[in-house]
Amino acid sequence: MIIKCAIVDDEPLAVNLLASYVEKIPFLELCGKYNNATDALHGIGEQPVDLLFLDIQMPELNGLELSKMIPENTRIVFTTAFDRYAVDGFRVNALDYLLKPISYADFMEACNKALQWFQLVQQSEQPVTAPPAAAAPAEEPRSIFVKSEYKLLQINLDDIRYIEGLKDYVKIYTEQSPHPILSLMNMKAIEQMLPASRFIRVHRSFIVQKSKIREIERNRIVFGDVYIPIGDSYKQAFQDFINNK
């Protein structure tokens, strides 16, 4: 696939460096170079892009402010010399964060991460075709593979307690680790990977495994100190699910 991109940086040398990197990446198409956020906002409005390499520290309108004005489907890779902006960058759902001076290796790694994201989105939007009527039912998987921190991890389905969606990411909570596994995909994509006989979406932001449910209290599923709400539009399906209908 081809990812249309643009570069925004008030330093011409930085723009030229990133442009030279883009030329080396076969799946990137450079559609714009801007030296300030105002011109970038106007240019992206006329010629939308999929990916924006965006400097944070710029006069008048900075990168964080611009990131909140561009279309939601335009993903961002922040570029800056100030690492204190890292947390703020991920709060606006940046795909990655590159610290200047940016090496080609780091740039390529961020681009590969972006490619994985767009491929996952593309896969999740493809219609699921029903198997032929005569086909034998497929055996349910015992594990799934997810991408996390540039690695492909195998997760046993028996270990999964619940999954939380955070816009462009999901957090997979397992019984084997006190910390969730963070993966770049949306809820629809991971929901399609899980067997419907075992997992159910109970809220726009949560999927739970039936066998792990021990307590339900006031339309909330209790996992220790965590309370997972059951959305109004999911209540009947969840009730049927736990009743094996």
Side-chain angles (χ1 to χ4, degrees):
M1 65 184 305
I2 299 298
I3 299 173
K4 295 182 178 181
C5 67
I7 301 167
V8 186
D9 198 306
D10 62 333
E11 299 177 5
L13 290 177
V15 172
N16 292 336
L17 176 65
L18 293 187
S20 70
Y21 288 168
V22 169
E23 291 179 357
K24 300 177 182 179
I25 308 293
F27 55 82
L28 292 183
E29 177 185 342
L30 185 59
C31 297
K33 297 188 294 184
Y34 307 98
N35 291 122
N36 62 74
T38 303
D39 289 346
L41 186 62
H42 178 73
I44 295 170
E46 292 188 344
Q47 186 177 17
V49 294
D50 305 309
L51 183 63
L52 193 63
F53 296 99
L54 178 59
D55 184 27
I56 294 179
Q57 191 74 2
M58 293 186 291
E60 297 182 0
L61 186 66
N62 67 42
L64 289 174
E65 293 168 335
L66 176 62
S67 69
K68 299 171 184 177
M69 301 177 183
I70 63 175
E72 292 184 358
N73 58 346
T74 299
R75 311 313 305 159
I76 296 170
V77 172
F78 278 123
T79 61
T80 184
F82 302 94
D83 57 2
R84 64 190 175 90
Y85 287 106
V87 174
D88 289 331
F90 284 104
R91 282 178 180 168
V92 294
N93 296 305
L95 283 181
D96 210 343
Y97 170 90
L98 295 174
L99 187 62
K100 295 179 180 179
I102 300 169
S103 69
Y104 177 67
D106 289 342
F107 182 83
M108 184 170 59
E109 191 172 24
C111 292
N112 286 331
K113 185 175 182 180
L115 179 63
Q116 292 173 8
W117 160 252
F118 285 108
Q119 288 175 336
L120 286 171
V121 171
Q122 189 179 65
Q123 291 170 8
S124 68
E125 292 175 347
Q126 291 176 351
V128 179
T129 57
E139 182 179 352
E140 287 188 350
R142 295 182 180 180
S143 63
I144 59 173
F145 284 90
V146 299
K147 294 175 182 176
S148 179
E149 298 181 353
Y150 314 111
K151 296 179 292 186
L152 199 60
L153 300 180
Q154 184 179 28
I155 305 175
N156 291 329
L157 295 183
D158 289 340
D159 293 338
I160 299 176
R161 301 176 70 196
Y162 63 93
I163 298 168
E164 180 182 5
L166 298 171
K167 291 188 178 179
D168 302 331
Y169 293 81
V170 295
K171 287 183 176 180
I172 304 172
Y173 292 83
T174 69
E175 294 183 333
Q176 305 301 317
S177 174
H179 304 292
I181 297 169
L182 188 65
S183 182
L184 183 65
M185 69 171 73
N186 57 32
M187 287 289 279
K188 182 178 179 181
I190 195 166
E191 188 176 14
Q192 292 177 344
M193 298 170 64
L194 302 169
S197 61
R198 298 176 60 178
F199 293 85
I200 185 170
R201 192 165 181 173
V202 298
H203 186 273
R204 64 182 181 180
S205 301
F206 290 98
I207 296 172
V208 300
Q209 179 162 202
K210 180 181 178 181
S211 63
K212 306 300 180 181
I213 299 174
R214 298 290 182 267
E215 183 180 348
I216 302 173
E217 174 188 304
R218 298 178 182 176
N219 290 320
R220 297 181 301 177
I221 301 169
V222 183
F223 286 104
D225 296 333
V226 178
Y227 292 82
I228 294 178
I230 302 172
D232 291 339
S233 60
Y234 298 89
K235 286 181 180 178
Q236 187 58 55
F238 176 67
Q239 189 64 45
D240 293 343
F241 180 72
I242 62 175
N243 291 335
N244 293 318
K245 291 185 179 181

